[in-house]
Amino acid sequence: MTDYPERAEDGPDRIQVAWRRELPGVPVGSIGVITRIWRLGQLLADDRRRTLERLGIDNPTLDLLSTLRRSGPPYRLTPGQIAARSFVTAGAISQRIARAEAAGLVRRERSAADGRSAVVALTDEGRALNERVVADLLRHEETLLDGLDDAQRAALAELLKTLLGDLTRRFGAEDRPPARDGDQLP
């Protein structure tokens, strides 16, 4: 496997060729992967923001509602459980809950288990909004992969899973939130 392309075909290829020329002997192969993943991340984040704006919801609210909906009936979790499942800080969860509660999408209830702690419950309105948005979002995002056949999608998913797992272990990131709150999938 070559460390750089012989012929520049896209931006990352051109960057690799230039750095190989400017810094001979420095490995530049990672540019072909990391730069493309970084650029894909930018494109997908921008597309997600625009799509959610069109659908009438922001990403943090969608993440909260989706976390509750994926938990299964009765769609209730403690704030701590939501934070752990969303990979965001407790402070961010409190803000999300307050905004969603004000919009009538969730409600706080006393825990049936001990009557002292609080749980957050998805309202019927929140569930309906979440199901509509997730269905529309996933249909849209499916079209973003039209350039790949089923085998390519499966291979890419496995490769990304391997890379993500390795980097998560190496960075010790299994049990801590990402650097930025949000940016979660539905």
Side-chain angles (χ1 to χ4, degrees):
M1 185 163 162
T2 183
D3 188 41
Y4 66 95
E6 291 298 321
R7 198 181 84 223
E9 296 179 6
D10 69 354
D13 287 343
R14 287 188 292 275
I15 292 168
Q16 281 180 297
V17 167
W19 279 123
R20 180 166 189 289
R21 180 189 68 238
E22 296 299 316
L23 295 175
V26 173
V28 298
S30 63
I31 292 171
V33 175
I34 303 295
T35 300
R36 286 185 178 100
I37 290 173
W38 178 76
R39 182 65 181 130
L40 282 167
Q42 288 181 315
L43 291 169
L44 293 172
D46 288 347
D47 181 75
R48 165 76 57 105
R49 182 190 46 74
R50 285 189 307 272
T51 301
L52 292 181
E53 186 176 291
R54 179 179 53 79
L55 295 172
I57 194 168
D58 61 34
N59 205 50
T61 301
L62 176 61
D63 186 41
L64 171 65
L65 300 181
S66 293
T67 300
L68 288 165
R69 179 63 178 89
R70 288 190 315 261
S71 73
Y75 312 115
R76 289 178 178 86
L77 295 170
T78 67
Q81 289 170 318
I82 294 168
R85 293 178 188 194
S86 298
F87 303 105
V88 296
T89 64
I93 290 302
S94 294
Q95 292 173 3
R96 291 177 183 193
I97 292 168
R99 284 191 309 267
E101 187 175 33
L105 303 173
V106 301
R107 68 179 170 277
R108 295 175 214 241
E109 301 174 347
R110 289 281 162 215
S111 171
D114 66 15
R116 292 175 300 173
S117 60
V119 295
V120 179
L122 192 60
T123 65
D124 290 341
E125 182 182 344
R127 182 177 172 186
L129 174 64
N130 180 252
E131 290 175 2
R132 178 185 59 80
V133 168
V134 168
D136 287 351
L137 178 64
L138 293 179
R139 279 199 260 325
H140 167 71
E141 289 182 346
E142 187 69 22
T143 68
L144 299 178
L145 300 176
D146 284 349
L148 303 174
D149 64 32
D150 289 344
Q152 289 170 320
R153 288 181 188 200
L156 180 58
E158 282 303 311
L159 290 169
L160 291 172
K161 181 179 179 179
T162 300
L163 180 61
L164 180 60
D166 179 57
L167 293 179
T168 298
R169 281 186 297 281
R170 288 170 53 192
F171 294 156
E174 293 102 343
D175 298 320
R176 63 185 158 98
R180 296 183 332 167
D181 290 337
D183 299 334
Q184 303 298 312
L185 296 177

